[in-house]
Amino acid sequence: MNVLIINCGSSSLKYQLIDSESEKVKAKGLCERIGIDGRLIYQPAGGEKEVTEAPMPTHTEAIQMVLDALVNAKTGVMKSLDEVDAIGHRVLHGGAKITESCVIDQAVVDVIEECCDLGPLHNPANLKGIYACQKLMPGKPNVAVFDTAFHQTMPTKAFMYGLPYEYYEKYHIRKYGFHGTSHSFVSKETIKFLGLDADNSKVIVCHLGNGASISAVKDGKCVDTSMGLTPLEGLVMGTRSGDIDPAVVEYICNKENKTVSEMLNILNKKSGVFGLTKGLSSDFRDLEDAMADGNQLAADAIDIFSYRVAKIVGSYVAAMNGVDAIAFTAGIGENAPLIREKVCEYLGYLGVKIDAAKNNSRGKEVVISADDSAKKVAVVPTNEELAIMRETAALVK
């Protein structure tokens, strides 16, 4: 089965064509500057990357260019679009109504539209991708894989905020969590990689990238996660503040004569390690280089980030009354031995010991805990496209 994976942003679109039997990527690429001048990047498996500059007024034209590339006579990987068996869409927010991946029908579209207030940047773009695929490939099954779905197994005690209940009733204000596709994939891979019992396991997944979140997964089900109503809650991130005292918003608005919207923009785009280092960088590779050169702000930002990760890991050990394994994933989690080392230094009370030689690896699946460590710690690379493909293939077989 050939599954086309579509991940739409407001002005961009990432795609992969994956064979569900072999799980091999046949082609992949990116559409950029949709609605502006347009650029298609296309790369068939084993082939050279091709770049085409062409107008893409909407996502429909962008997806049409993707489909044309996949079947072009010279470097295409299919003879016709009949060979596409299903389309899997990454969708940001399904609210509380959708708790798992599903074949898209009008009822699903309605829920995605209802959740546009909760995901104003992503949900409308996700819908554009769905509409375009329905128009260009009528009759092909489309599947929505939601970023929030994996976390909808959280109990009430984990997802409710201490606000007047009427706001939950009227506006569905609660914790939803994000990066669900990654947390689902990595928790399952960790269980398999470490030989744990899926029905009797306690795993903590640290998805650490420019956006970062942590999940507590008990017996294969999410019981808590660090992001909330929006991706702003939780860890200090690349440009997001993470958890702060809510009164900070009013305080700075009054002092700086800013609106709440302006303040939220600062919390989302100008804070995190970027803000802590006075705009030096949101990239941890730059921060590590700066720290090595004696930059104290960079060193402090790395310490703050690592400390926050360790605090949430510790709270999830308490929430699950134990832990069997801790997994690091995503850009920082997979490629920053220093961050993993600093986080695990706080976990000595669990009997965690890190093997320095094993930890000195990047981008590959590996156990980094020492042989005599009381808990397993591993690096488990995420693959959200593969996860979306698996979910899609399982629903349309």
Side-chain angles (χ1 to χ4, degrees), residues 88-385:
H89 298 264
R90 182 182 182 180
V91 181
L92 179 80
H93 221 305
K97 291 183 179 179
I98 296 182
T99 60
E100 58 188 1
S101 302
C102 50
V103 176
I104 297 171
D105 58 16
Q106 190 55 48
V108 173
V109 168
D110 290 344
V111 171
I112 297 172
E113 288 180 341
E114 288 172 15
C115 292
C116 282
D117 282 350
L118 297 172
L121 296 179
H122 296 84
N123 272 36
N126 301 152
L127 282 168
K128 289 176 182 177
I130 291 168
Y131 293 146
C133 288
Q134 289 176 332
K135 177 181 178 181
L136 297 172
M137 291 178 281
K140 299 285 185 183
N142 286 263
V143 170
V145 180
F146 292 86
D147 242 24
T148 51
F150 180 64
H151 303 305
Q152 298 315 302
T153 51
M154 287 188 293
T156 302
K157 63 185 178 183
F159 71 68
M160 284 297 290
Y161 292 125
L163 295 170
Y165 197 77
E166 63 187 278
Y167 297 128
Y168 175 65
E169 292 177 305
K170 289 197 290 188
Y171 308 121
H172 311 294
I173 304 296
R174 50 157 286 180
K175 173 179 284 198
Y176 289 101
F178 298 88
H179 296 139
T181 307
S182 176
H183 284 289
S184 175
F185 178 84
V186 173
S187 61
K188 292 179 176 68
E189 289 295 307
T190 301
I191 288 168
K192 183 166 64 175
F193 178 48
L194 299 179
L196 303 176
D197 179 356
D199 297 322
N200 185 26
S201 58
K202 298 172 181 177
V203 176
I204 294 173
V205 176
C206 301
H207 177 107
L208 308 180
N210 194 267
S213 63
I214 301 178
S215 65
V217 184
K218 187 176 182 181
D219 304 336
K221 305 290 185 183
C222 178
V223 295
D224 208 344
T225 191
S226 58
M227 284 181 168
L229 175 74
T230 74
L232 184 56
E233 185 181 348
L235 298 168
V236 170
M237 304 177 218
T239 63
R240 295 186 188 122
S241 66
D243 293 340
I244 61 168
D245 180 342
V248 168
V249 174
E250 181 190 35
Y251 187 85
I252 295 179
C253 284
N254 290 338
K255 289 288 187 181
E256 299 280 330
N257 195 29
K258 295 185 182 297
T259 66
V260 172
S261 293
E262 287 173 328
M263 193 60 215
L264 282 175
N265 185 61
I266 290 169
L267 294 176
N268 273 295
K269 298 180 179 179
K270 298 180 181 180
S271 299
V273 296
F274 178 80
L276 286 168
T277 58
K278 295 186 174 180
L280 172 66
S281 182
S282 61
D283 190 314
F284 276 73
R285 291 168 294 189
D286 296 335
L287 299 187
E288 286 193 33
D289 289 343
M291 183 179 73
D293 290 337
N295 187 310
Q296 188 59 47
L297 290 179
D300 288 344
I302 288 172
D303 282 343
I304 290 165
F305 177 82
S306 304
Y307 177 69
R308 292 288 188 93
V309 172
K311 271 178 64 176
I312 291 180
V313 168
S315 72
Y316 288 170
V317 174
M320 295 192 292
N321 197 18
V323 65
D324 297 314
I326 299 165
F328 288 93
T329 194
I332 299 166
E334 294 172 29
N335 297 291
L338 174 65
I339 300 298
R340 297 193 298 256
E341 177 187 343
K342 283 182 169 291
V343 170
C344 290
E345 283 175 355
Y346 291 102
L347 307 179
Y349 70 97
L350 293 173
V352 167
K353 296 180 182 178
I354 297 301
D355 184 308
K358 293 176 182 177
N359 187 43
N360 190 29
S361 65
R362 301 174 188 270
K364 65 179 182 179
E365 191 172 62
V366 60
V367 175
I368 61 172
S369 48
D371 292 341
D372 61 343
S373 176
K375 306 294 179 184
K376 294 287 188 182
V377 182
V379 176
V380 180
T382 191
N383 189 329
E384 292 175 275
E385 288 77 16

Side-chain angles (χ1 to χ4, degrees), residues 45-56:
E48 296 294 318
K49 186 180 291 185
E50 303 171 14
V51 180
T52 304
E53 308 282 349
M56 295 177 184

